[in-house]
């Protein structure tokens, strides 16, 4: 393709790149693409070039204000050139993502409305569908628990489907999406209805993976007649012939789920086969789903049959946590919620909560029955093993217990014994950010034993370098939510390129040599993603980089009070307290009784040695 560029065939070069990389432009080819677009003299290619450049900026964790400013600069050109509506609609989508990421939902909605109008003018069904899905995502972000399906998303999908009811290609994906959404909120009658409509529009189409997933849920609820069930199992087994290992493991999971109602023994066998098969899968995304879904369902099935101790061991096995006879809570969520509690007396008790109409997942403080919480009194530390929607939720256990979440990140072997003694580092990004409407933060107290990094030198690279050798890291900063990575990002001082957002990906790629405890004194710093098969958060990023524990809050925290509270927490840990015990003291201290936000602080730790073993 270098010859094409040299001969001036810029359009061929650009078309080849986007076709070769499935509609994207890799970072290493972005500069060549921008030069070709400029040389082409085409407004279309210039807009496409800007779209790919801004997409890269967002994916690599740049300041969203750059995206918003650059995109706004070309809005007048969009208005003057209606024939580039497709490219302008793509830019509108990026603007919407940026606004939603900084929780400016109204402005995000305006951008999506504009995107939808432009997409409708062009008749581009792909862009229209993207707009409906983004609108659904925006309204789902208002939901307290992202794993709950928002009915507005259904409304937007229905809007896309209604004029295309007889077009199989147009309705297939939205119908299956609505059926999946109905399953997520346990509305199995609605899932059946959506599949019936799909069959009327697509009578000749073979069952795909997502449809099989929905039908397996219906089978697990006993909603398939005998003949229908037998036909479905036969179709599943046919689908498993000659497929790749990743698809084979997921199809085994689907079969295990489908058999759980009629053939529970065989269902357990298939779920175990799915877990084992996922280890050999070349597709890590699908393998993670097959593995996590199978572990979750297997644990729940064990609880349903009164085998709480085996269920607890299944959850420990999934997260790589060491076996322990007492002081642990395991929660499995799959349509129903199963709870296993290993009390201070070494006895593991369990229960499966009854479903409540309209409430797929009980509120966190209603999940663990009081009589099971009582069995944990007297525990020095309580480990909680679960995934979304309860991983990272602060109200699961009372504050007078020293408890923590076992993270499913950073499970690699770590050296036993005390971690290297490094400095107590305070990162204080307290300057205001007017472009993102972020005010000045309170400068935290600094003890003689601590060092502080603040001001213009607090760039991403300097912060990563200083954190590498610290054994206690205290971070005071604003955050922004990245809608692409579904993670918060820390906003530090801008570097020479104007970048200030420190992303989880950059943290993961660093190496925290001293296995530090990390305290994130930032609003939403402890927020975890709602994916049911993988946790994704700043805490996970720090743990993967080598931290042994992370404390943060999934919610807003008050600036001045947080500076004081995290100072107390840091001092306690610096003086030798276990992080779980230090957090328990903070929550139960008299000074925090008026600060309800303190109860939202949560602790994440990787599986590893107990404090006594270190």
């Amino acid at each position: 393709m270098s010859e094409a560029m040299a001969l001036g065939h810029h359009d061929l070069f650009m078309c080849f790149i986007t076709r070769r990389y499935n509609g994207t432009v890799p970072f290493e080819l972005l500069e060549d693409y921008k030069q070709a677009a400029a040389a082409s003299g085409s407004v279309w290619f210039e807009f496409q070039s800007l779209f790919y450049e801004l997409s890269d900026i967002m994916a690599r964790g740049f300041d969203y204000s750059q995206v918003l400013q650059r995109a706004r600069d070309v809005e007048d050109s969009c208005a003057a050139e209606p024939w580039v509506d497709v490219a302008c609609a793509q830019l509108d989508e990026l603007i919407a993502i940026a606004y939603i990421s900084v929780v400016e939902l109204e402005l995000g909605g305006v951008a999506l409305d504009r995107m939808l109008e432009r997409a409708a003018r062009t008749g581009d069904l792909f862009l229209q569908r993207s707009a409906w899905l983004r609108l659904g995502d925006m309204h789902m972000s208002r939901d307290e628990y992202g794993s709950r399906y928002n009915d507005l998303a259904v409304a937007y999908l229905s809007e896309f489907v209604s004029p295309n009811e007889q077009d199989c290609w147009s309705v297939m994906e939205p119908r299956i999406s609505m059926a999946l959404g109905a399953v997520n909120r346990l509305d199995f009658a609605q899932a059946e209805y959506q599949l019936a409509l799909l069959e009327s529009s697509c009578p000749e189409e073979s069952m795909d993976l997502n449809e099989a997933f929905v039908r397996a849920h219906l089978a697990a609820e006993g909603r398939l007649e005998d003949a229908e069930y037998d036909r479905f199992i036969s179709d599943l087994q046919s689908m498993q012939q000659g497929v790749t290992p990743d698809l084979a493991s997921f199809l085994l999971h689907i079969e295990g789920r489908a058999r759980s109602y009629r053939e529970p023994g065989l269902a357990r066998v298939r779920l175990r086969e799915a877990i084992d098969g996922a280890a050999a899968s070349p597709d890590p995304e699908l393998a993670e789903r097959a593995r996590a879904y199978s572990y979750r369902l297997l644990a729940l099935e064990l609880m349903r049959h009164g085998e709480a101790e085996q269920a607890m061991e299944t959850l420990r096995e999934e997260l790589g946590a060491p076996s322990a006879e007492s002081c642990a809570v395991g929660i499995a969520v799959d349509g129903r919620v199963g709870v296993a509690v290993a009390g201070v007396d070494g006895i593991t008790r369990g229960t499966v909560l009854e479903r409540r109409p309209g409430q797929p997942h009980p509120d966190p403080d209603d999940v663990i029955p009081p009589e099971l919480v009582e069995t944990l009194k007297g525990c020095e530390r309580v480990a909680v093993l679960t995934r979304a929607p309860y991983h990272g939720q602060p109200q699961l256990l009372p504050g007078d217990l020293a408890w923590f979440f076992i993270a499913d990140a950073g499970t690699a072997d770590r050296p036993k014994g005390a971690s290297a003694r490094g400095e107590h580092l305070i990162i204080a990004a307290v300057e205001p950010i007017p472009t993102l409407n972020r005010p000045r933060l309170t400068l935290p107290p600094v003890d003689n034993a601590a060092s502080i990094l603040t001001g213009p030198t607090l760039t991403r690279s300097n912060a990563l370098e200083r954190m590498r050798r610290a054994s206690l890291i205290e971070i005071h900063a604003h955050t922004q939510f990245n809608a692409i990575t579904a993670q918060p990002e820390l906003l530090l001082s801008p570097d020479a390129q104007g970048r200030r957002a420190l992303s989880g990906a950059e943290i993961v790629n660093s190496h925290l040599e001293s296995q530090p405890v990390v305290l994130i004194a930032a609003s939403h710093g402890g927020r975890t993603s709602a994916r049911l098969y993988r946790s994704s958060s700043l805490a996970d990023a720090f743990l993967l980089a080598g931290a042994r524990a992370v404390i943060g809050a999934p919610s807003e925290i008050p600036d001045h009070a947080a500076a004081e509270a995290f100072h107390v927490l840091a001092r306690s840990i610096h003086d030798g307290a276990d992080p779980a015990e230090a957090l328990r003291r903070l929550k139960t201290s008299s000074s925090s009784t008026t600060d309800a936000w303190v109860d939202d602080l949560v602790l994440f730790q990787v599986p590893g040695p107990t404090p006594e073993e270190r």
Side-chain angles (χ1 to χ4, degrees):
M1 292 313 296
S2 57
E3 292 87 349
M5 283 284 285
L7 293 172
H9 298 310
H10 308 293
D11 52 348
L12 290 178
F13 171 78
M14 289 181 286
C15 288
F16 172 80
I17 292 299
T18 52
R19 285 182 177 273
R20 171 68 177 79
Y21 295 99
N22 297 319
T24 64
V25 177
F27 175 71
E28 59 271 17
L29 295 175
L30 185 58
E31 196 59 39
D32 289 339
Y33 189 96
K34 287 164 60 180
Q35 292 177 11
S40 72
S42 165
V43 176
W44 162 264
F45 280 126
E46 287 188 37
F47 272 78
Q48 286 286 286
S49 173
L50 180 60
F51 169 75
Y52 292 127
E53 181 183 1
L54 296 184
S55 297
D56 178 74
I57 287 174
M58 294 180 71
R60 291 163 64 83
F62 281 56
D63 188 338
Y64 283 119
S65 59
Q66 289 189 46
V67 176
L68 294 172
Q69 187 58 56
R70 296 277 308 279
R72 286 195 206 102
D73 288 344
V74 300
E75 282 183 5
D76 290 343
S77 299
C78 279
E81 300 284 356
W83 61 275
V84 291
D85 266 337
V86 170
C88 291
Q90 291 176 324
L91 291 174
D92 285 331
E93 184 171 17
L94 289 183
I95 293 172
I97 292 172
Y99 275 130
I100 293 168
S101 297
V102 296
V103 204
E104 294 284 357
L105 300 184
E106 296 304 322
L107 293 173
V110 170
L112 287 175
D113 287 342
R114 193 167 57 236
M115 173 190 177
L116 190 57
E117 181 182 343
R118 286 176 170 143
R121 272 202 304 267
T122 66
D124 190 313
L125 294 179
F126 179 81
L127 280 174
Q128 290 180 57
R129 181 163 53 191
S130 293
W132 297 130
L133 294 173
R134 290 293 179 196
L135 282 162
D137 288 342
M138 183 184 74
H139 288 284
M140 286 175 73
S141 71
R142 299 177 188 271
D143 203 0
E144 187 175 1
Y145 304 109
S147 59
R148 290 182 179 171
Y149 197 85
N150 193 301
D151 286 341
L152 278 171
V154 175
Y156 290 123
L157 285 167
S158 299
E159 185 73 20
F160 173 77
V161 166
S162 56
N164 306 293
E165 193 61 64
Q166 300 308 313
D167 181 353
C168 176
W169 182 87
S170 296
V171 304
M172 181 182 297
E173 184 178 344
R175 284 285 176 220
I176 293 175
S177 293
M178 285 189 278
L180 283 167
V183 165
N184 285 347
R185 63 182 189 274
L186 310 183
D187 187 349
F188 299 109
Q190 180 62 214
E192 290 174 321
Y193 175 68
Q194 293 297 334
L195 291 184
L197 291 175
L198 175 64
E199 288 178 359
S200 68
S201 297
C202 306
E204 303 300 323
E205 288 295 325
S206 300
M207 180 173 64
D208 72 359
L209 194 67
N210 285 327
E211 183 183 345
F213 192 58
V214 173
R215 292 193 184 278
H217 279 81
L218 298 178
E221 293 296 315
R223 300 181 74 98
L224 299 186
E225 299 294 336
D226 290 346
E228 189 179 8
Y229 172 78
D230 292 340
R231 186 169 60 253
F232 174 54
I233 292 295
S234 176
D235 289 345
L236 270 180
Q237 292 174 337
S238 297
M239 290 175 70
Q240 293 174 30
Q241 303 302 312
V243 298
T244 57
D246 50 315
L247 278 176
S249 63
F250 202 82
L251 286 167
L252 282 168
H253 164 77
I254 290 174
E255 184 183 343
R257 178 180 295 279
R259 292 187 185 274
S260 62
Y261 180 79
R262 284 180 167 85
E263 306 167 275
L266 188 53
R268 293 187 191 185
V269 172
R270 291 292 179 266
L271 293 173
R272 271 291 168 192
E273 289 174 348
I275 291 168
D276 295 341
S281 170
D283 184 337
E285 178 83 7
L286 201 55
E288 277 187 291
R289 289 175 182 265
R291 182 178 183 274
Y293 292 171
S294 296
Y295 267 121
R296 187 181 68 196
L297 183 56
L298 183 58
L300 185 62
E301 286 298 303
L302 288 165
M303 292 183 200
R304 289 178 62 186
H305 290 86
E307 301 173 59
E309 189 171 344
Q310 291 87 337
M312 180 73 81
E313 285 306 306
T314 298
L315 294 173
R316 289 186 187 279
E317 177 188 327
E318 180 192 6
L319 296 177
S323 294
E325 295 181 354
S326 62
C327 299
V329 173
I331 303 173
V333 182
D334 195 294
R336 294 174 174 83
V337 177
V339 181
V341 175
V344 70
D345 56 4
I347 299 174
T348 302
R349 304 165 178 86
T351 186
V352 176
L353 305 184
E354 292 298 321
R355 289 175 175 164
R356 301 179 185 178
Q359 188 186 29
H361 306 130
D363 291 334
D365 52 1
D366 291 334
V367 171
I368 308 173
E371 62 272 19
L372 294 185
V373 173
E374 192 64 28
T375 68
L376 297 170
K377 298 297 175 68
C379 289
E380 290 188 13
R381 301 161 80 247
V382 177
V384 177
L385 302 93
T386 189
R387 289 188 179 273
Y390 296 116
H391 183 71
Q393 292 295 332
Q395 307 300 332
L396 279 175
L397 287 169
D400 59 358
L401 289 175
W403 63 281
F404 61 97
F405 287 103
I406 290 283
D408 62 350
T411 56
D413 290 338
R414 292 166 185 249
K416 288 190 177 183
S419 58
R421 189 67 176 177
E423 67 175 339
H424 171 194
L425 174 65
I426 299 175
I427 290 177
V430 298
E431 295 301 315
I433 310 174
T435 55
L436 296 178
N437 197 30
R438 301 295 201 270
R440 181 182 299 276
L441 296 176
T442 300
L443 191 68
V446 183
D447 289 339
N448 292 334
S451 59
I452 187 168
L453 179 61
T454 191
T457 60
L458 179 48
T459 59
R460 296 159 33 260
S461 59
N462 286 343
L464 290 170
E465 175 61 25
R466 289 288 298 274
M467 288 192 296
R468 188 164 61 87
R469 295 181 298 274
S471 58
L472 176 59
I473 301 171
E474 187 181 341
I475 301 172
H476 298 260
H478 286 297
T479 61
Q480 68 179 12
F481 185 71
N482 187 324
I484 295 177
T485 63
Q487 286 185 1
E489 297 173 334
L490 297 169
L491 298 177
L492 307 180
S493 297
D495 58 18
Q497 290 75 42
R499 292 182 62 180
R500 67 165 76 242
L502 180 61
S503 68
E506 292 170 302
I507 294 168
V508 168
N509 291 327
S510 66
H511 177 54
L512 303 178
E513 298 173 356
S514 299
Q515 301 175 51
V517 175
V518 180
L519 311 178
I520 307 177
S523 292
H524 309 293
R527 175 176 176 169
T528 59
S529 74
R531 290 191 181 102
L532 297 177
Y533 61 96
R534 180 202 307 157
S535 173
S536 177
S537 66
L538 279 176
D540 289 311
F542 278 110
L543 293 168
L544 280 167
R548 65 183 175 93
V550 180
I551 295 176
S555 54
E556 292 279 345
I557 62 175
D559 171 33
H560 182 73
E564 293 292 335
F566 275 87
H567 175 66
V568 172
L569 193 58
R571 187 165 53 193
S572 179
I573 294 171
H574 182 269
D575 290 343
D578 178 75
E581 174 59 21
L583 185 55
R584 185 197 67 80
R585 291 177 193 169
L586 179 66
K587 289 184 176 182
T588 57
S589 66
S590 57
S591 61
S592 66
T593 54
T594 58
D595 294 325
W597 69 270
V598 172
D599 290 333
D600 279 354
L601 293 174
V602 289
L603 168 63
F604 303 90
Q605 291 189 199
V606 293
T610 65
E612 293 74 22
E613 293 173 321
R614 287 195 181 97

